[in-house]
């Protein structure tokens, strides 16, 4: 499989180059040249596969420059760190199916992609005899999942900036208690935006970037999207055997549009009608739900909510869907994205019919998040985290009789204990992986939000080839 850029400015490249490139060199995002199609007989044949076996079948259709036996080993290793035999188990609550994506090491769905990406980086660096210095800023979840993805790896150092005392105590400890030599946590005196601005500035210094083999782990990496396609296919296989009916809907708590875009790829891969619609659920940062509702893709300012991993306005993966919406025409994609970065808005209302064949949406208020956690606990004795509750609320709003609905559970409730306590009057049970976390030894550098100082710190601690 070859990969192209949504902006058309690069030659086609194979999978492993796409992974190492991250963002396309012309500023676009990388996509496979075609989306492979899976027939009903193949779906039948996949019915009994384990999660890892299925992951191999799905991913290998997009990868032809890693030998099959190596790819299998990478996948097996990535999902052996999950603490459930099904990796992403389905739990049935009334007429909703909850797809639990939080059984990885940091208890959020990002582990599904970042465990794989970490092992893939290690493999490619070994192959090429090179090294990587990963630099990223986090508001909480991504940082810990990325750190767990590469901790202890030979050829990688990771530097994660987080805003000092502005991430939750559990999130902070999940990052800072990882004591491997290759992990560098930096708390900056400033906000998440300050951290992101510093990262952008350092990546903008091309000489520095090349000299120090700087790499990113954000959700625009195609390998992350690809790893997430697997659990959509997994759900289709398991629900259709469970309910006979062969069409289903998914509800997806959405921030950067990565997870739901993986669902869109799955929808196009699988036999027509297997996935009917994707429900795009947002918190009050609702740019994407406004886009689905009436084609209004316009920025407003970010507000803080109880679902911080979805407090996002410009969704970094949106351009991938836009490319398909514009009939795969790179010039139009580039022009519209440039218009968006100039004006902060684009009008996509003329595509409403197509968009509504793919998606429905709902923006969920803070009151409704609390009410949903409370009601769901009462009805099903099941505790939702605030992100998952947003998806569940949107699912309840859009469900159609006779069409099974899968709700993606993106975080374990124990990561957001305060929101849960506030809704149901008790804390969720603490899973073993974070029990005792607060007492563990931690290591972290506290620094000013000064890009020169941080660049010097990188120079002093970077891994060299
Ligand atoms: C990252 C994240 C999301 C949003 O996923 P996107 O791929 O950015 O749309 C939702 N919930 C949780 C818990 C997350 O960590």
């Amino acid at each position: 499989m070859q990969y192209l850029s949504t902006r058309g400015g690069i030659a086609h490249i194979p999978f492993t180059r796409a992974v190492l490139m991250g963002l396309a060199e012309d500023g676009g995002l990388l996509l496979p040249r075609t989306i492979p199609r899976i027939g009903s007989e193949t779906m039948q044949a996949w019915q009994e596969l384990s999660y890892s076996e299925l992951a191999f079948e799905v991913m290998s259709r997009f990868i032809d420059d890693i030998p099959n036996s190596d790819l299998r080993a990478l996948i097996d290793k990535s999902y052996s760190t999950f603490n459930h035999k099904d990796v992403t188990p389905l739990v049935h609550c009334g007429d909703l199916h909850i797809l639990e994506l939080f059984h990885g090491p940091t208890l959020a769905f990002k582990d599904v992609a970042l465990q794989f990406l970490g092992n893939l980086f290690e493999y490619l660096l070994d192959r090429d005899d090179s090294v990587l210095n990963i630099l990223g800023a986090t508001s909480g979840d991504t940082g810990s999942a990325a750190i767990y993805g590469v901790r202890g790896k030979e050829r990688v150092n990771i530097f994660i900036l987080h805003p000092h005392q502005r991430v939750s105590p559990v999130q902070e400890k999940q990052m800072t208690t990882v004591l491997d030599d290759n992990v560098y946590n930096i708390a900056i005196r400033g906000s998440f935006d300050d951290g992101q601005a510093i990262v952008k500035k350092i990546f903008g210094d091309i000489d520095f970037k090349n000299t120090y083999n700087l790499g990113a782990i954000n959700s625009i990496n195609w390998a992350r999207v690809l790893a997430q396609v697997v659990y959509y296919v997994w759900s289709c296989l398991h629900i259709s055997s469970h309910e006979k009916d062969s069409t289903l809907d998914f509800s997806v708590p959405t921030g950067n549009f990565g997870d739901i875009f993986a669902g869109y790829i799955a929808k196009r891969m699988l036999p027509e009608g297997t996935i009917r619609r994707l429900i795009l659920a947002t918190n009050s940062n609702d740019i994407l739900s406004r886009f689905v509702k009436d084609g209004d893709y316009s920025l407003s300012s970010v507000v803080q909510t109880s679902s911080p991993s979805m407090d996002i306005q410009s969704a970094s993966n949106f351009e991938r869907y836009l490319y398909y919406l514009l009939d795969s025409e790179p010039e139009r994609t580039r022009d519209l994205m440039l218009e968006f970065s100039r004006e902060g808005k684009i009008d996509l209302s003329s595509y409403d019919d197509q968009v509504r064949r793919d998606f429905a949406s709902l923006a969920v208020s803070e009151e409704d998040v609390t009410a949903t956690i409370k009601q769901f606990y009462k009805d099903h004795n099941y505790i939702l985290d605030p992100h998952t509750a947003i998806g569940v609320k949107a699912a309840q709003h859009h469900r159609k009789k006779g069409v099974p609905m899968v709700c993606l559970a993106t975080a374990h409730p124990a990561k957001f204990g305060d929101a849960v306590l506030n809704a149901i009057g008790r804390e969720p049970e603490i899973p073993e992986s974070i029990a005792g976390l607060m007492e563990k030894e931690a290591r972290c550098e506290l620094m000013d939000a000064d890009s020169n100082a941080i660049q010097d710190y990188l120079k002093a601690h970077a891994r060299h080839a």
Side-chain angles (χ1 to χ4, degrees), residues 65-82:
D65 57 342
I66 298 178
N68 281 345
S69 55
D70 292 355
L71 182 60
R72 269 185 211 279
L74 280 174
I75 291 171
D76 284 347
K77 186 175 175 192
S78 302
Y79 298 114
S80 68
T81 54
F82 282 62

Side-chain angles (χ1 to χ4, degrees), residues 107-110 141-142 219 224 228 252-261 288 307 309-310 312 316-317 385 387-388 409-412 415-416:
L107 308 177
F109 94 98
K110 291 186 171 70
D141 278 344
T142 309
S219 73
R224 283 185 64 175
Q228 292 168 185
V252 189
T254 296
N256 263 322
F257 202 78
D259 203 3
I260 199 164
F261 182 74
L288 288 167
S307 45
S309 299
M310 294 159 62
I312 288 165
S316 52
N317 275 286
D385 100 287
H387 304 78
T388 307
T410 51
H412 191 289
K415 281 194 96 161
F416 301 94

Side-chain angles (χ1 to χ4, degrees), residues 153-341:
K153 302 228 182 289
E154 268 311 313
R155 295 168 178 274
V156 185
N157 281 3
I158 183 166
F159 299 85
I160 296 291
L161 315 183
H162 71 263
H164 183 49
Q165 291 178 341
R166 297 199 207 172
V167 298
S168 83
V170 171
Q171 287 176 324
E172 181 189 322
K173 288 288 185 179
Q174 277 186 313
M175 296 188 277
T176 58
T177 58
V178 180
L179 301 177
D180 300 74
D181 290 341
N182 69 332
V183 174
Y184 296 88
N185 278 289
I186 303 170
I188 56 165
R189 295 187 186 91
S191 65
F192 167 62
D193 287 339
D194 294 333
Q196 219 165 22
I198 292 170
V199 168
K200 257 201 173 146
K201 181 140 186 254
I202 296 178
F203 271 98
D205 182 343
I206 301 295
D207 278 344
F208 183 82
K209 177 171 182 275
N210 292 337
T211 309
Y212 288 90
N213 295 306
L214 230 50
I217 34 79
N218 40 20
S219 73
I220 49 99
N221 198 301
W222 169 254
R224 283 185 64 175
V225 175
L226 179 57
Q228 292 168 185
V229 173
V230 176
Y231 49 71
Y232 287 92
V233 181
W234 169 262
S235 302
C236 293
L237 290 166
H238 288 265
I239 305 279
S240 57
S241 64
H242 184 82
E243 273 194 28
K244 283 276 169 289
D245 208 327
S246 68
T247 188
L248 71 167
D249 288 346
F250 284 89
S251 182
V252 189
T254 296
N256 263 322
F257 202 78
D259 203 3
I260 199 164
F261 182 74
Y264 173 77
I265 295 286
K267 185 176 191 290
R268 294 191 44 169
M269 268 182 90
L270 298 177
E272 187 75 35
T274 307
I275 297 177
R276 191 183 68 116
R277 237 173 15 166
L278 299 159
I279 316 297
L280 189 158
T282 68
N283 60 28
S284 24
N285 296 290
D286 64 347
I287 176 170
L288 288 167
S289 39
R290 282 186 279 116
F291 156 69
V292 171
K293 229 171 92 226
D294 47 28
D296 167 27
Y297 192 66
S298 60
L299 285 177
S300 45
S301 50
V302 179
V303 298
Q304 274 192 9
T305 71
S306 59
S307 45
S309 299
M310 294 159 62
D311 291 346
I312 288 165
Q313 284 285 337
S314 0
S316 52
N317 275 286
F318 183 72
E319 181 169 343
R320 287 191 159 115
Y321 178 67
L322 186 64
Y323 173 82
Y324 289 124
L325 195 59
L326 301 174
D327 292 324
S328 307
E329 288 185 24
E331 295 77 20
R332 290 171 67 204
T333 309
R334 188 194 55 215
D335 290 349
L336 271 178
M337 287 310 296
L338 292 178
E339 182 182 332
F340 179 68
S341 57

